[in-house]
Amino acid sequence: MAIVWVAVLTVLLFVLVPAGLWAIGRRSRGRAAGGAVSGPFEEIWHPAAHRARIQIQVQDQRIAPDLLPGDPPSASG
């Protein structure tokens, strides 16, 4: 009977862990929240998406240059 429980727990482990990772990745699409969790798996199985995510993070971290005297005011204020 103990072997049955070990087998059931093993199957659950191999089903629930990938399902949980998929759910976290699905929920965090477009947000920066899931990058730390799904980033390593995305790098392994989908390197192009990982490189794109890195480029987006780099662009988000860029600082807009200050206005120089004589520049027209921006639309945002």
Side-chain angles (χ1 to χ4, degrees):
M1 189 68 181
I3 293 177
V4 173
W5 283 111
V6 170
V8 168
L9 290 176
T10 303
V11 169
L12 283 176
L13 177 75
F14 282 105
V15 171
L16 292 178
V17 169
L21 290 172
W22 176 81
I24 290 170
R26 181 88 174 164
R27 184 173 180 185
S28 67
R29 281 288 167 222
R31 290 186 261 165
V37 175
S38 64
F41 297 101
E42 189 174 66
E43 185 176 3
I44 294 169
W45 286 298
H46 197 356
H50 181 70
R51 287 189 297 270
R53 183 180 301 270
I54 289 173
Q55 288 297 322
I56 290 170
Q57 288 175 349
V58 167
Q59 290 176 6
D60 286 345
Q61 292 174 356
R62 289 186 184 160
I63 298 173
D66 291 335
L67 290 176
L68 297 174
D71 284 345
S74 65
S76 63

